[in-house]
Every structure is written in C-alpha cells, then in structure tokens.
Amino acid sequence: MPSKRTTLASIAQALEISVSTVSKALSDSSEIGAATKKRVLEYAKANNYTPNSFASSFRKGTTSTIGLIIPNILNPFYAKVLVGVETYLDDNGYKLITSISNDLIEKETKNISVMSSGFVDGLIICISKEAEQKSEYQHIKTLIDNGTPIVMFDRICDELECDKVITDDFQAAFDATEFLITNRNCKHIVITAKTNNLHHLNLRRKGFEAAMNKHSATVKCTVITDERSKGLKQKLGELLKEDSSIDGVFGLNEKSVLHAILLTNKLQKEDNAISIAGFCNDMQSKYDASLIVINQNAKEIGVTCAKLLLDRIKSKDNTSFHTKTIAVNL
Amino acid sequence: MPSKRTTLASIAQALEISVSTVSKALSDSSEIGAATKKRVLEYAKANNYTPNSFASSFRKGTTSTIGLIIPNILNPFYAKVLVGVETYLDDNGYKLITSISNDLIEKETKNISVMSSGFVDGLIICISKEAEQKSEYQHIKTLIDNGTPIVMFDRICDELECDKVITDDFQAAFDATEFLITNRNCKHIVITAKTNNLHHLNLRRKGFEAAMNKHSATVKCTVITDERSKGLKQKLGELLKEDSSIDGVFGLNEKSVLHAILLTNKLQKEDNAISIAGFCNDMQSKYDASLIVINQNAKEIGVTCAKLLLDRIKSKDNTSFHTKTIAVNL
DNA sequence: GTGAAAGCGCTAACAG
DNA sequence: CTGTTAGCGCTTTCAC
C-alpha cells in the first residue's frame, strides 16, 4: 500500500517540471508539447495517479453533488424517486447525497444545513409531514434566500419560490374511482382516509368524492377515517365482515392498499368479489393484475426533478420557476 | 438574496481583525477575549454566516462522508440496510453518498472511483451480482490498496481483506425449513431456486437441504429451478395446480416469496392449506401473520456496517479485520 | 511550450 | 489575547 497518494506536486517533482505543466498535460491542454504529455501520462499511470476531485471541486466552487431529502426510503414511492434521481445524476456526472428525514423537521433542518454548507450544488426535497402540517417552511426559505437551487416534489408549498414536481392527485383519484364504478361495476365503495391533513391526500380524497358525486345515483360510499394506519386497518376489517354489500375499496396511500389486499384475501370470497384501487408502488401490486393501481411514475418524477435542478444550476438563472405535473396512468 | 456569502475573511475585514481571530472566536476558543467573541458572534449572526464545511473538510483532509454502494434500492432488504447506515452515520455527524449499481460492474467501478477520489472517508458496499458471478474483484482490491477503508456486506468475498457483515444464511434457511416441518406439519415442500450461482443463495439452499435430509423420513420435497424469476413463478403456478399434496413453499429470495403468496392466494384454498416460508423484507410480509418470514435484521446489518467503518476510520488501524454475522429470527 | 504565482475558505502552528 | 503565515490539491491567469 503506497503510503502517500500521488499528487500533481509529486509528479511535478519527480519529473522536474512545474505543477501547472502537469495539470495541463493531464487535461490534454493544447499548450503542452506531445513529448511532455506522454512523459506525464506514463508516470501518472505507473504511479496510478487519481486526481483528487474533492480538491478540484473546492477550487472550482462546485461539487457536482446533489442532495436528496426524503421522509422515508421504505416507502417504494420515494425509493423509486430516488432511482430516477440517481440515474439521471449519474448519467450527468453528478453524485447523490441522501438523507432520510423520518418526517421530522429537526432532522430535515439539520441535514439541509449540513448539505447546503458547501457540499451540494443543489437540493431535491420532499418536505417532512411535520413541516407540512405545521406550515413551517423557514428552513427551506433560508435555503432559497441563500441562493441554493432547490426542487420540491410531492409535498409542495405555494409560497416557496422554486421548481416543483407533482402528481395530479385529484385527477388520478378521480380516474381510478370512476374505473371502479364503470368497469368493475362497484356499487358500494369504501374509502380509507387518514386524518392527517396532508395536502396531496386531501386532493386525492377530493378526486374520489368528485367521482362519487358524479355517479351518486348508482353508487354508495362509506368513509373510514382514523389518524393512524393501524386504526384504519382494523376498522376496514370489521366493516368488511359486517357489510357484505361492499364490492370496492379505495386506498389513499401505500399502506391502505396493502391492508385492503390482505384483508380481502383473508375473506376468501370468490374471485374478484371486491375490487381494490389506490395509490401503491409496492412490488406486490405489480404482480397482482386484479388490482387497479395508480401508477405515479415515481421514477419519472425523480428524473424530472434532477433534470430541472441541473438545468437550473447550469443556467444560473433564478427566475421563472416551473411546476411540472407528472401524468399518472392506471 | 445576498450576492456574496459571508466568509471568515469578510467578517475579519468588516471588524478589522484577523481571520484567525474570527475563526477562533467562532469555535469558542479559550484564546479569545469575551468582548471580541461577542462582536464576532453578533456580526456572524447578523449576516447569517454559515461556515463552508466543504472548505473545512478539504483543509482537514477528511470529508465526514461515507459512500454506500448497493445493487438495488427497490429491494427492501437493501433499503433497510440503507436506513441503518444512514441512521448511524447521521447520529455520528457523517453524511451518506449513495450509488445504485444495478448489479453492473461498470457502474459499480465508475462510482467507486468517483467516490474514492477524495469524496468519502470510507465505503460500504454490497458488490454487484455480475462481479460476484465473474469473480471480478479488481476494482475492490484497488480501493483497498489505495488505503480506503471499506466494509462489505451480504455478498462477500474471502480473498478481500476488509471488514464484513453477513447473515447466517445456512442456519436461517435450516431453521425456517424445520419450522415448516415440525410446527406446520408440512409433508411436501416446494423450494424455488434461481440458478444464478450466488454464494449466499447457495448457502440458503444448503440450509434447506440439510433440514430436508434430517427429516427425510416424513417429508418430501420438490425443487423448481429456473434462471429467471418469471420462469420460477410460472413453474410454481403450474405445480401448485397439478399437485394438491403440496402444503409448503420455501422461497429463497424476496421475489420468490411474493410470488408464492400471490399464487396460493389465487388458489382460494381453505385457510393455511399451504404454508410459506422464506427470505422476505417486503412490507406486505409484516402484515401477514401466517407467513414464516426470516427476519434478516437488515437495519441492524446497516448499523453494524456503519459502526465497523467509523471505528476503522477513527482507529486508523488496518489490521485484524472482523467478519460479523448478524443473527436472524423467524 | 512551460512556469510562477495567486487563491478557493478554512485551520493550526507559531509569533508576538 | 491577537495576528502572521503556511498550506490542503488543484485550476487558471499571466509572464517568459
């Protein structure tokens, strides 16, 4: 193991030329003669020189690194967004620093400040539930004021001036609900809704309600609410046992859908007795053709975020922010 | 938006004191008088000075950043490992750079070299399927020779000298299989095995076989092999329809287990007619109590990797590497 | 063609 | 107590 890394200086010393010559030779500058270039390149290879890109970044004032802050990586929606972000960044020579906020403002704030203290050229963020519920955006505002380019996705905030990428939650929920009604002939649909007052969950619920209103003549609905997922699951289980007229379930989020799948399986009814629709990115959903899954195109969301951010960084423009809506499909 | 960031130099200039005084004052050094400290602190706050920790890292020669390279983030096993790593790192003031290799040597190699060129203090890696199958470890060796501390997990290689964290795959498979036999009274168990020659999958299969041999008098087994997941799923589906004596399925990996759940659900047999056991970290499995899930304690694996790595970095020792085996439970 | 030198922002000897 | 100085490794004018 070589005790010391090869650097420009060590190459220069060994070859008795100057550091700047070495630097230029390695970057194949036209200023340097072919003979010198060859000498330098050979020496560099022989001593397996790897440029210290950290130093280079420091010098240039950019890091080619992007920060991603998400609430939870076990939710496949966020995992897929990460895949999209990582893919696009990697293709463009950028690195990715990831932080999981666990939906806590404190951790979010801490990591934002660490990253933005010179480590990243820009930030992609889905704010924590806590921040959204308390409308606490000061930590994000500070970031923007500081000049760090950011892109928000999924959970966004109108008062923040930056690029944003969202799903058309209302339309998606409307479409899926209508599909339950018109294609699966559902007559009694249950919706499971957490009472956590998240903006995009409310939109989904409104989409569902709009569809129900449109078809109110033929379809009935029952709303289950609870502030916790477990509570929702339990109530749904009881309801399914009691009321055999239920022939559809609409899940507003990942967990609701998974719970619905499990509970209806347990009932051991004849095939397709109960149709399930909802927002779900779990692998499981891909294998179960009977499900009506709202495909949020999470990976595409990630790619779009990354693209918006890199474009913003390259243009150095900080006006006219875009909000892109990623289409969904069933 | 302030056109220029506040720096030590700008503070020093404004207050007509030296840069080093400012630096010391901000780090609350005992060398500086209370009055000066107060002046500096107030000015810093007023101009919301944030230290450029990138520059500081550069100066100190360490980045407080760790690289994590995993094949796939959509596999919940790796996602959970990431959570463990991220949690431990964050608690210890470290950042995390993540790269997804997609099981390709090329991307793995590229990202390793980018990260190790000064951006990370150490690396945690689960090598790509491709590297393991081709026994290509040169890119890892180069890294080790270069002096970068690394920790391997899940897929390891004996010839590489570094810390390692693994699951006791053999024992886990043995225990789960025996549970199927003795507790669920299975008489005919199907095992779905991909023919991809991955070390830890082979260990799992050996564990299964050892249990079968021990109970060969009472239990029969059928082995399904295919090089692709889809093929396995199809063969399993056909077998389940044809042979009604099957009362147990053992899945060697995530997908196999998920497929088995789905297929047996479709059969609409009476409850618990077919018991399923296997390696699975999907959310779904948590909600289905009838499953026999091998809990690999993925988060703990992540925490252990991170801990081993930080300890190694701090001690600067590069001898006596440890291989830790994380216990599993059903 | 090649080299000298400045400097990115910060830290840490060493002087006063 | 405060200041001077010398870099970390690299890029980039500007001279020669």
Side-chain angles (χ1 to χ4, degrees), chain A residues 7-8 20 23 49 52 56 59:
Chain A
T7 67
L8 290 190
S20 52
S23 171
Y49 167 72
N52 184 331
S56 159
R59 175 65 235 261

Side-chain angles (χ1 to χ4, degrees), chain B residues 124-141:
Chain B
I124 297 171
I125 180 168
C126 175
I127 55 171
S128 63
K129 220 180 264 184
E130 193 186 1
E132 182 175 355
Q133 284 168 340
K134 296 183 181 167
S135 291
E136 265 194 47
Y137 302 118
Q138 193 48 54
H139 54 309
I140 314 282
K141 266 188 198 135

Side-chain angles (χ1 to χ4, degrees), chain B residues 243-277:
Chain B
D243 190 340
S244 62
S245 76
I246 294 168
D247 53 8
V249 180
F250 188 81
L252 280 187
N253 60 16
E254 297 279 334
K255 279 195 181 167
S256 294
V257 175
L258 290 178
H259 287 153
I261 296 172
L262 209 68
L263 289 169
T264 51
N265 275 336
K266 287 258 184 284
L267 283 182
Q268 306 283 350
K269 286 207 181 183
E270 63 269 35
D271 245 2
N272 294 331
I274 300 181
S275 296
I276 300 172

Side-chain angles (χ1 to χ4, degrees), chain B residues 40-204:
Chain B
V40 171
L41 251 39
E42 274 169 6
Y43 183 90
K45 183 154 287 176
N47 295 65
N48 65 81
Y49 166 73
T50 49
N52 184 331
S53 47
F54 195 80
S56 160
S57 283
F58 177 51
R59 176 66 236 264
K60 291 196 276 207
T62 62
T63 62
S64 293
T65 304
I66 296 298
L68 174 68
I69 300 182
I70 50 179
N72 170 12
I73 189 71
L74 298 179
N75 180 325
F77 171 70
Y78 296 116
K80 285 180 185 175
V81 171
L82 189 151
V83 170
V85 170
E86 206 266 350
T87 305
Y88 189 83
L89 291 186
D90 191 72
D91 288 346
N92 289 274
Y94 275 72
K95 295 171 289 299
L96 173 67
I97 296 191
T98 309
S99 160
I100 319 287
S101 71
N102 293 324
D103 274 318
L104 267 26
I105 292 183
E106 193 192 338
K107 186 156 183 224
E108 187 170 72
T109 307
K110 177 185 157 193
N111 284 297
I112 285 179
S113 71
V114 172
M115 288 187 188
S116 63
S117 68
F119 269 96
V120 299
D121 293 345
L123 224 43
I124 297 171
I125 180 168
C126 175
I127 55 171
S128 63
K129 220 180 264 184
E130 193 186 1
E132 182 175 355
Q133 284 168 340
K134 296 183 181 167
S135 291
E136 265 194 47
Y137 302 118
Q138 193 48 54
H139 54 309
I140 314 282
K141 266 188 198 135
T142 307
L143 197 59
I144 296 178
D145 290 346
N146 218 14
T148 311
I150 78 169
V151 176
M152 300 183 78
F153 74 93
D154 201 40
R155 300 177 187 157
I156 63 169
C157 162
D158 290 336
E159 57 181 302
L160 261 21
E161 293 200 344
C162 61
D163 292 313
K164 293 158 195 167
V165 179
I166 51 173
T167 299
D168 192 345
D169 286 293
F170 179 91
Q171 192 63 43
F174 184 90
D175 290 348
T177 308
E178 199 160 46
F179 193 91
L180 275 181
I181 298 168
T182 57
N183 285 54
R184 294 291 173 90
N185 272 310
C186 289
K187 300 295 173 206
H188 185 179
I189 302 176
V190 180
I191 181 170
T192 57
K194 259 171 127 177
T195 54
N196 61 6
N197 209 32
L198 282 179
H199 185 63
H200 66 303
L201 290 191
N202 287 338
L203 280 180
R204 291 175 187 179

